[in-house]
Amino acid sequence: MSDESVDATDAHLLGIIDEYMGAFEPDPAESVGLRERILQIVREDAALAPATKLTTERGNPFRISTAEVRSIIRGAVDAVPGVRARSVTATPAGDPEGSAVDITMTVMMSAGTAFVSAAEDVRRSVADALAAHLGIPATRIDVTVEDVFVDEEGSHG
């Protein structure tokens, strides 16, 4: 990567960080070194793995590690009782593209878990996590049960 492209990338990232900081107004004591830390994290992610292209509410495109997006979604799924994430695909959507995301996932459910209510809990949890972590809404969240597991804690030996 040339110094010129790094400078352009840093300038673009600083614009996104300024947008974030302007929208959320963090406590000045908490923001010391925040810009440099965010730049460091983004550089590390960009160097390590494939990225998903998304867009902020104000239309600034950004890239985030696809693994990180999947991790956010898996964490949200695993937070739902009786459900465990398996495969996760996040596809940029919306207008402009990347201003939202379509999610397709497979999950395992504990035997005896009611699918309809658990699937709604999964959708709500994933949508909340995407909004909280990325500021991006989900336009679609497709949930397919791929497997059933027995919760050992609830079984009698």
Side-chain angles (χ1 to χ4, degrees):
M1 199 179 248
S2 72
D3 286 343
E4 190 173 295
S5 67
V6 169
D7 290 343
T9 299
D10 284 0
H12 180 72
L13 291 172
L14 286 171
I16 292 171
I17 294 166
D18 287 343
E19 177 182 324
Y20 170 81
M21 291 177 76
F24 294 100
E25 299 177 14
D27 182 311
E30 295 174 5
S31 64
V32 174
L34 179 63
R35 285 182 174 177
E36 190 54 41
R37 180 67 184 129
I38 292 171
L39 285 171
Q40 178 186 355
I41 290 167
V42 171
R43 285 185 198 122
E44 288 169 1
D45 280 349
L48 293 176
T52 299
K53 295 178 185 177
L54 299 173
T55 305
T56 67
E57 289 178 7
R58 296 184 188 173
N60 285 321
F62 69 99
R63 296 169 63 89
I64 182 169
S65 155
T66 301
E68 181 62 22
V69 174
R70 289 178 181 154
S71 176
I72 290 167
I73 294 166
R74 282 193 177 100
V77 172
D78 291 349
V80 176
V83 182
R84 297 294 167 262
R86 302 268 320 240
S87 66
V88 174
T89 302
T91 306
D95 185 19
E97 185 176 356
S99 61
V101 66
D102 288 341
I103 306 297
T104 304
M105 70 179 78
T106 60
V107 300
M108 296 188 307
M109 283 192 172
S110 174
T113 299
F115 172 74
V116 174
S117 61
E120 285 307 313
D121 290 345
V122 165
R123 286 184 183 98
R124 188 172 26 262
S125 182
V126 169
D128 290 350
L130 290 170
H133 292 280
L134 301 176
I136 303 291
T139 52
R140 189 184 80 223
I141 302 174
D142 291 337
V143 180
T144 301
V145 177
E146 187 175 74
D147 201 356
V148 175
F149 65 93
V150 175
D151 186 356
E152 296 298 325
E153 293 176 15
S155 65
H156 297 53

